[in-house]
Amino acid sequence: MGKTDLSRLADLAVAVGANVQEGQVVGVVAEYGQEEFARAIAESAYKRGAKFVDVWYFDPLVKRARIEFAPEDSLDYVPPWFGERLLKLGELGGANIAIRGMMMLPRIAETNVIVNERTVNWTVVPYPTPPWARTCFPDLDDEAALTRLWSEVQHVCRLDEPDPYEAWQDRIEALERAAAALTEAKLDAVHFEGEGTDLTIGLLPTSTWRMARWSTAGGIKHIPNVPTEEVFTSPDPERVDGYVRSTKPLVLSDGTVVRGLGVGFEGGRAVEVTADEGGEVLEVRTQIDPGACRLGEVALVDRESRIGQLGTVFYETLLDENAASHIAFGSGFRWAVETDDDRARVNKSAVHIDFMIGGDDVSVTGLTSDGERVPLLRDGVWQIAAVTA
Amino acid sequence: MGKTDLSRLADLAVAVGANVQEGQVVGVVAEYGQEEFARAIAESAYKRGAKFVDVWYFDPLVKRARIEFAPEDSLDYVPPWFGERLLKLGELGGANIAIRGMMMLPRIAETNVIVNERTVNWTVVPYPTPPWARTCFPDLDDEAALTRLWSEVQHVCRLDEPDPYEAWQDRIEALERAAAALTEAKLDAVHFEGEGTDLTIGLLPTSTWRMARWSTAGGIKHIPNVPTEEVFTSPDPERVDGYVRSTKPLVLSDGTVVRGLGVGFEGGRAVEVTADEGGEVLEVRTQIDPGACRLGEVALVDRESRIGQLGTVFYETLLDENAASHIAFGSGFRWAVETDDDRARVNKSAVHIDFMIGGDDVSVTGLTSDGERVPLLRDGVWQIAAVTA
């Protein structure tokens, strides 16, 4: 990947993802070894008028020394300045760009504060690395795998378009129109139909369809995950009935791959979980707490999704969940409904496990409370006038 | 340099320099590219019982992007968390280890707070890098230069001793005895004599001789600069008379090398500055403010100094100033005198420029207010009973 490739990916993070504004202080979170991309992000942000770019390099090998030699009962400790940095970034109205895939980064509680207070325009972006490439393409040699991953990441990030920035504005506006039209349709339920799938997911009275462009309290629009292809909401966790087959492998956070997954629902609960492979691990996870076997999310993805077109499994939820329409066991989004009553009903759980159930062969239909059937996706294409217009 | 070499240098930083205590949080400041040493320091600190080691990597190439692309009037800006991190480290009673030679690190005002409040046991340690090696040994090829620098740094750090930790305890105790004996002698002046040198430096009534082992407010002893070989104090800036020849090249902060320096003093002021090379640059610096042509420091170094034995110019003040007895134009140390009256008299200036005036051929004699002459160094050897005992 030449300097141009890196610069274009960095520009995507800065201009499309975080939408860095002139005069902003920008935090960058990178893993040690990702310096080329971090520097490209810094350069891009400065060119866009950033006041200061602070790259925080997290070194997994320092953490490894900790795990090996520090007292076991100290391993939860996080020094106060990790969180202070985020809170100050919020106070300054700064931006934040995290490079995807840092498994060993400690959990910083203050992250929730800046996300909830919407003080920072932030994003998480992918960056192809040799270990990630080996995971995705184990049959290729290292160099070929990295080249392939770069090329696919560039494609799914629309960097092969003449003007990626414009391409994203168009795509995001289409997703926003789809979300608005779905919300306006005041659907009572969504019905998925296909081979091995006949599933009806009830919605809450004020379930509102969202897409992944957010806005800070001060009005700066940003995209928390680039690339994004979905519109989604939180359903009624007590009204899911029927059965569904997953259309793509599901990769759990411990690396377990669940293939050939089939789930039967009754009254919102998953009552039957079968799989060709990895089913037992998933079954344990869905029994962690009472909400783990109910749904927190339903998301629609059309065939314009480049992730879905490729068919690659990236072993990285934030990319893979944009491949196809999906549902998630576990925690839902309280900000995706409008009343306290509905917020109390949104599913709660310690887990959130997305799995893909959509595809060109699965039709998606909205059901209104009058019993009217509204086609949403056919052959993977939006059927909503506002979107196709 | 193998892992053992790195580990021994890291142990020196952790055990001798910072003297990391069990349960301490440890800050490490490293430049991007110094990860091997930073990780070795982390491992050493964890093995010694540190609770958490936070390596802060500063990336000069991110800074370069800033200098190139950020608005000129923003270049003074430092985000608040750079200083917060240090203040919090102080509140936690932590330790700090900085790797020497980071020219591009921004000036963080809060550094002064933790130094003055003595809340942190801190140190700065050398680490051989290819650019530094090229500067020291321009006639060698890159690999040979680095090998040579490693070998010399190991030697001056006493890492070639069977037990470097013990070797340093012995050396430091000898320096402490020398400092105590010098202070007890209540000298009125120090007299340097040698070829081209006949200089008398008056002391203040409470000038106290120090060596570079400090103590935190909580009593943790630490050595701010490793290796250290000097005992020093601040003299009377109005009572310096005679002339002196430098015994080693003087490297100014802009890289100018001053060779063959000769200075004549009258009533504390440098009235004549001559040099074979670089004299003009030095002369400008000594005219920056009224204190810049007067002395802020006089330091004694005996021939046990391994830096002096080698004869190498490291182009790095903190090493080079430990080569030989020296004096410094400019700012003095208010904490090296005992009364408010004397503190008001300690020299003040924006500069502090050390230059070497000692060696085996230069004898150093103390003068008491009774006119008694007390031999201090002859042929580079301490003449004080407490030290030689």
Side-chain angles (χ1 to χ4, degrees), chain B residues 277-297:
Chain B
E277 196 180 314
E280 331 70 54
V281 182
L282 179 63
E283 209 164 352
V284 170
R285 300 238 174 158
T286 58
Q287 290 165 2
I288 276 181
D289 54 37
C293 66
R294 295 181 183 272
L295 296 188
E297 178 185 358

Side-chain angles (χ1 to χ4, degrees), chain B residues 17-28:
Chain B
N19 186 18
V20 170
Q21 306 289 302
E22 204 171 317
Q24 274 197 316
V25 175
V26 181
V28 176

Side-chain angles (χ1 to χ4, degrees), chain A residues 83-97:
Chain A
E84 276 293 323
R85 178 175 175 280
L86 290 177
L87 295 181
K88 288 278 177 195
L89 193 64
E91 282 172 32
L92 294 170
N96 198 63
I97 297 169

Side-chain angles (χ1 to χ4, degrees), chain A residues 188 367-372:
Chain A
D188 177 61
L367 308 175
T368 68
S369 41
D370 306 337
E372 194 192 338

Side-chain angles (χ1 to χ4, degrees), chain A residues 274-319:
Chain A
T274 59
D276 298 338
E277 198 180 292
E280 330 69 55
V281 182
L282 179 64
E283 209 165 351
V284 170
R285 300 238 174 160
T286 57
Q287 290 165 2
I288 276 180
D289 54 38
C293 65
R294 296 182 182 271
L295 296 188
E297 178 184 357
V298 52
L300 303 183
V301 176
D302 70 332
R303 63 180 300 168
E304 291 298 308
S305 162
R306 294 187 167 193
I307 296 166
Q309 287 164 18
L310 279 176
T312 299
V313 178
F314 288 100
Y315 296 89
E316 171 63 63
T317 304
L318 295 176
L319 284 173

Side-chain angles (χ1 to χ4, degrees), chain B residues 19-43:
Chain B
N19 186 18
V20 170
Q21 306 289 302
E22 204 171 317
Q24 274 197 316
V25 175
V26 181
V28 176
V29 187
E31 199 170 274
Y32 202 90
Q34 298 180 326
E35 73 283 355
E36 287 188 358
F37 190 38
R39 290 165 186 164
I41 290 172
E43 188 172 319

Side-chain angles (χ1 to χ4, degrees), chain B residues 26-213:
Chain B
V26 181
V28 176
V29 187
E31 199 170 274
Y32 202 90
Q34 298 180 326
E35 73 283 355
E36 287 188 358
F37 190 38
R39 290 165 186 164
I41 290 172
E43 188 172 319
S44 174
Y46 278 125
K47 284 181 177 166
R48 211 176 145 85
K51 179 178 181 180
F52 192 93
V53 181
D54 178 39
V55 178
W56 182 41
Y57 288 107
F58 182 78
D59 187 343
L61 291 185
V62 169
K63 179 145 180 177
R64 185 180 293 178
R66 183 184 187 203
I67 292 168
E68 193 168 348
F69 298 112
E72 181 107 17
D73 63 5
S74 75
L75 293 182
D76 282 341
Y77 180 78
V78 178
W81 52 84
F82 282 23
E84 277 292 323
R85 179 175 175 280
L86 290 177
L87 295 181
K88 288 278 177 196
L89 193 64
E91 282 172 30
L92 294 171
N96 198 62
I97 297 170
I99 302 174
R100 196 190 289 279
M102 283 173 300
M103 304 292 287
M104 288 181 82
L105 195 70
R107 210 175 176 77
I108 303 173
E110 288 82 353
T111 306
N112 296 335
V113 177
I114 63 166
V115 169
N116 288 331
E117 295 185 350
R118 300 188 298 137
T119 45
V120 171
N121 39 313
W122 59 274
T123 192
V124 184
V125 291
Y127 176 56
T129 58
W132 184 19
R134 275 193 293 276
T135 304
C136 297
F137 308 108
D139 298 337
L140 300 181
D141 69 44
D142 282 10
E143 200 188 323
L146 187 59
T147 304
R148 171 86 175 269
L149 182 59
W150 256 105
S151 140
E152 298 210 344
V153 163
Q154 287 173 314
H155 181 65
V156 303
C157 289
R158 294 181 165 76
L159 297 180
D160 47 8
E161 292 289 323
D163 185 338
Y165 181 84
E166 279 307 316
W168 276 107
Q169 302 310 315
D170 291 349
R171 177 63 175 162
I172 286 160
E173 281 162 22
L175 293 174
E176 280 183 337
R177 287 197 302 274
L182 286 167
T183 300
E184 205 159 302
K186 293 190 188 302
L187 302 174
D188 177 60
V190 178
H191 184 209
F192 288 82
E193 264 179 310
E195 203 190 318
T197 289
D198 183 356
L199 184 72
T200 303
I201 300 171
L203 301 179
L204 291 167
T206 64
S207 285
T208 304
W209 293 83
R210 306 284 187 184
M211 59 76 58
R213 176 147 74 173

